[in-house]
Amino acid sequence: MKNILVVGAGGQIGSELVPHLQKIYGNSNVVAADINTKCADVFKDGPFELLDALDAQKFADIVKKYKIDTIYNMVALLSATGEKNPQLAWKINMGALMNSLEIAREFNCAVFTPSSIGAFGPNSPKDNTPQDTIMRPTTIYGICKVTGEMLGDYYFQKYGVDTRSVRFPGIISNVTLPGGGTTDYAVEIYYGAIQQKHYVCPLPEGTYLDMMYMPDALDACVQLMEADPSKLKHRNSFNVTAMSFEPSQIYAAIKKRIPDFTMEYDVDPVKKAIADSWPNYMDDSCAREEWGWNPKWNLETMTDDMLKVIGEKYKAGLLK
Ligand code: AKB
């Protein structure tokens, strides 16, 4: 039986990962931890602990208390926020990861930490970006991700810590909004389409980026952590993607379903520069071969589901 700790549980991925893991492993076997006190009201179905992931002593105490054997470290400042305060991004992103790795080493835990398309940089091949290629990111977020990937492999090779990771693309979801990412537009556009029938897009037409719907992202986490270790030639981190599109394509997909939806561009130069340094689409064949990665959602099916779920929330008065 797994005893899992999700650190940064209140974020975009963590808030859906916790109930997903609870369904699989049982509510009491998945501990949610976050720095935000409001999360105590959200994670009512299982144990919740208030935790600043930079507090190594409290982090270790929680791992001891619940006999944790698997840590999902979901703590991170995202790419656009990171550029506003690079020193803070390094402190939080690397601090949470180092604590996860050190505590995992001490208490013999496995560790999952997401990497990102942000680990690539302008020198990486843009199309069909290979699993193993040049990685010279130009954002502090990406520098943290590449460092994190290398640290993950280092802790595996040197100490035998079972570290595994994926390079997530933009994650599109309808429960918790992302914050401060470059790919956030692909979430916000659905809310704009339903609420205002209009959206102002911060990335220019033609900016292709890899994307994934949340249910596939959750499957990726569990599938990789459950994968037979003898089959893994890579560990930190696997390219994974489900779709690649640029703003006018997601706009067209929504407009097909909401004909009076309109979109204009007001390009954010910081986000544009970040997006321009990332792949158009990645080659995720290693993930497919080594642990059976096989995403189920595409732009059309995801758009149907996003509009349905968010539309229902507005109708029920859960969103204003
Ligand atoms: C971001 O845009 O910063 C994140 C990511 C792709 O890692 N969503």
Side-chain angles (χ1 to χ4, degrees):
M1 179 61 76
K2 276 200 161 51
N3 285 327
I4 297 172
L5 174 64
V6 181
V7 186
Q12 186 202 10
I13 301 178
S15 62
E16 294 194 57
L17 182 61
V18 170
H20 185 73
L21 293 171
Q22 284 174 336
K23 249 184 246 156
I24 298 170
Y25 301 105
N27 289 2
S28 57
N29 296 321
V30 181
V31 182
D34 201 279
I35 195 168
N36 186 346
T37 48
K38 287 188 189 138
C39 289
D41 299 330
V42 178
F43 299 109
K44 284 203 172 111
D45 295 334
F48 172 77
E49 293 281 346
L50 201 60
L51 173 67
D52 174 351
L54 303 187
D55 181 346
Q57 188 56 57
K58 176 128 194 239
F59 196 156
D61 288 345
I62 293 170
V63 166
K64 244 190 283 178
K65 176 174 166 189
Y66 294 96
K67 298 188 173 46
I68 295 297
D69 55 41
T70 306
I71 298 168
Y72 283 77
N73 167 42
M74 311 307 287
V75 176
L77 291 194
L78 296 183
S79 54
T81 303
E83 289 314 291
K84 288 187 192 139
N85 193 340
Q87 292 74 17
L88 183 68
W90 176 268
K91 187 175 164 202
I92 291 175
N93 295 7
M94 297 315 300
L97 176 61
M98 272 311 287
N99 283 346
S100 302
L101 290 171
E102 270 300 290
I103 290 164
R105 178 164 80 93
E106 193 180 342
F107 295 96
N108 198 19
C109 304
V111 181
F112 176 91
T113 297
S115 184
S116 159
I117 51 173
F120 294 106
N123 302 333
S124 310
K126 279 195 91 62
D127 295 332
N128 211 25
T129 309
Q131 172 66 42
D132 302 309
T133 188
I134 187 161
M135 304 189 76
R136 306 278 300 172
T138 46
T139 63
I140 192 69
Y141 177 70
I143 292 167
C144 292
K145 289 301 185 194
V146 172
T147 312
E149 291 188 11
M150 293 170 72
L151 274 171
D153 280 344
Y154 183 80
Y155 268 69
F156 172 64
Q157 280 148 15
K158 194 167 175 81
Y159 303 117
V161 178
D162 185 358
T163 55
R164 306 182 189 193
S165 170
V166 294
R167 292 181 186 132
F168 270 138
I171 304 296
I172 296 162
S173 65
N174 51 48
V175 174
T176 303
L177 284 170
T182 304
T183 58
D184 293 5
Y185 92 89
V187 179
E188 291 160 359
I189 192 171
Y190 288 103
Y191 290 85
I194 292 173
Q195 204 183 15
Q196 290 98 22
K197 302 263 189 297
H198 186 69
Y199 182 64
V200 182
C201 184
L203 292 181
E205 190 171 347
T207 308
Y208 279 89
L209 289 168
D210 279 306
M211 299 281 176
M212 185 183 294
Y213 198 29
M214 183 63 92
D216 279 331
L218 301 178
D219 283 347
C221 299
V222 175
Q223 259 181 285
L224 176 57
M225 292 312 279
E226 290 289 348
D228 176 352
S230 69
K231 303 257 161 60
L232 300 181
K233 295 191 197 99
H234 298 85
R235 277 181 169 265
N236 303 282
S237 296
F238 284 93
N239 286 0
V240 285
T241 185
M243 59 192 102
S244 168
F245 55 75
E246 51 92 17
S248 75
Q249 291 174 320
I250 187 169
Y251 168 63
I254 297 172
K255 196 170 172 66
K256 241 200 291 187
R257 292 153 175 93
I258 304 179
D260 54 349
F261 175 45
T262 55
M263 183 171 87
E264 65 183 301
Y265 294 94
D266 182 11
V267 173
D268 175 331
V270 175
K271 288 190 177 179
K272 179 189 181 307
I274 296 172
D276 285 347
S277 76
W278 289 356
N280 292 333
Y281 61 96
M282 292 183 289
D283 170 8
D284 62 4
S285 52
C286 289
R288 290 171 187 266
E289 281 156 25
E290 293 176 40
W291 49 276
W293 166 241
N294 188 17
K296 297 180 186 70
W297 294 82
N298 59 35
L299 178 58
E300 296 300 326
T301 52
M302 176 181 76
T303 298
D304 281 335
D305 201 54
M306 283 292 282
L307 294 177
K308 178 172 162 281
V309 175
I310 299 169
E312 281 167 2
K313 282 193 193 176
Y314 276 113
K315 266 190 213 133
L318 298 172
L319 293 172
K320 287 195 180 74

